[in-house]
Amino acid sequence: MILLFFTFVLAIFLGVELINKVPSQLHTPLMSGSNAISGITIVGALLAAGSIQGHDWLAAGLGFTAVVMATINVVGGYWVTHRMLSMFKSKDQRK
């Protein structure tokens, strides 16, 4: 449990440092990469939710919540990326 908490805190620290050090021109490709990682999270949540044995409603609820939250993250991330990329198009290409 302590190792998982350490990994979580380390991921938060690295995420904040990475976002602060990356130039703004590279935020969109970075977001696209993080969306792909969130897709992996969906696969992991589906595998975890599918491996539940018996009537463990807490585990089923947590698995369902993980799938829903990861899906919202992926869809929202791609929507924001698409919107940001459309800002770089000229006005003629937007029509």
Side-chain angles (χ1 to χ4, degrees), residues 45-46 48-50 52-70:
L46 286 172
I52 297 170
Q53 297 180 2
H55 297 286
D56 191 2
W57 296 106
L58 177 64
L62 287 174
F64 178 75
T65 303
V67 170
V68 169
M69 298 298 276

Side-chain angles (χ1 to χ4, degrees), residues 10-49:
L10 185 63
I12 291 173
F13 176 74
L14 288 176
V16 168
E17 286 296 317
L18 182 68
I19 293 297
N20 285 334
K21 303 280 188 216
V22 170
S24 60
Q25 293 87 2
L26 295 178
H27 278 192
T28 300
L30 183 64
M31 285 179 53
S32 297
S34 65
N35 288 338
I37 293 171
S38 294
I40 296 170
T41 305
I42 290 176
V43 172
L46 286 172
L47 289 175

